[in-house]
Amino acid sequence: KSCILWDAKAGATPATKIDVKDDVNDVAWSGNGNVVYCAGYKGKCYAFDMRNAAEPVMTFEDAGIKGTECLAMSVSKSGDVVYAGYATESGDMRAYNAVTGEVYKAEKLGDAGCSAIEVSPDGTAVAFGNWDKLIKVTNADANPENPWSKKPASKSGGCSLA
């Protein structure tokens, strides 16, 4: 129930230990390396601020699939969006506002859990994979008509994690 960040320059000496209140299925970094996101077994995803001794700063959870295992996650290149995939029979995916934690897009992938998510290196596409041997690739930032590309509105006073 923890993530350990290793310092490769120091020869695999543990640099930081992040205590997570859940089993960890996946981890992802924000684009600038300031935040580590963890996908949890009990359906929650967590954000930890690495600039502040790995302090927990946000929990992402959708009441519609509460308690369902979060299998995979990724972060948009801009850092505005946290994508999460869940172990539901319909392959539920969520796009969370990285600042507020609110769900701004929910979609079903198919007939099995969403087990893999990856944002392309240039940030223009996001791929979702599931246990039903399906991969869905969609535009992330380039197409304004794509619901995954609509950037969430930031609330004033919120802390920017990206």
Side-chain angles (χ1 to χ4, degrees), residues 50-83:
M50 300 312 297
R51 298 165 295 183
N52 191 21
E55 183 72 26
V57 291
M58 181 75 66
T59 300
F60 303 91
E61 182 178 31
D62 183 355
I65 52 174
K66 189 174 184 172
T68 302
E69 185 175 359
C70 184
L71 297 172
M73 62 187 323
S74 192
V75 182
S76 67
K77 187 174 181 180
S78 65
D80 294 336
V81 182
V82 176
Y83 299 102

Side-chain angles (χ1 to χ4, degrees), residues 6-148:
W6 297 89
D7 184 345
K9 292 180 183 177
T13 302
T16 303
K17 181 179 178 184
I18 302 172
D19 290 321
V20 183
K21 306 277 188 252
D22 201 349
D23 293 339
V24 177
N25 288 331
D26 197 9
V27 295
W29 286 94
S30 63
N32 61 12
N34 289 339
V35 179
V36 170
Y37 298 91
C38 298
Y41 179 77
K42 296 177 185 170
K44 294 181 182 180
C45 299
Y46 308 90
F48 297 91
D49 186 347
M50 300 312 297
R51 298 165 295 183
N52 191 21
E55 183 72 26
V57 291
M58 181 75 66
T59 300
F60 303 91
E61 182 178 31
D62 183 355
I65 52 174
K66 189 174 184 172
T68 302
E69 185 175 359
C70 184
L71 297 172
M73 62 187 323
S74 192
V75 182
S76 67
K77 187 174 181 180
S78 65
D80 294 336
V81 182
V82 176
Y83 299 102
Y86 294 88
T88 59
E89 291 180 6
S90 54
D92 282 282
M93 301 172 289
R94 298 294 185 265
Y96 295 98
N97 180 315
V99 175
T100 66
E102 294 176 20
V103 175
Y104 80 94
K105 176 64 181 165
E107 192 168 312
K108 297 183 183 305
L109 181 59
D111 295 330
C114 180
S115 58
I117 302 173
E118 188 67 36
V119 176
S120 66
D122 66 359
T124 61
V126 61
F128 304 94
N130 77 357
W131 294 331
D132 201 23
K133 303 175 188 168
L134 174 69
I135 296 174
K136 178 179 182 177
V137 179
T138 186
N139 291 331
D141 294 326
N143 182 356
E145 298 302 315
N146 182 349
W148 287 100

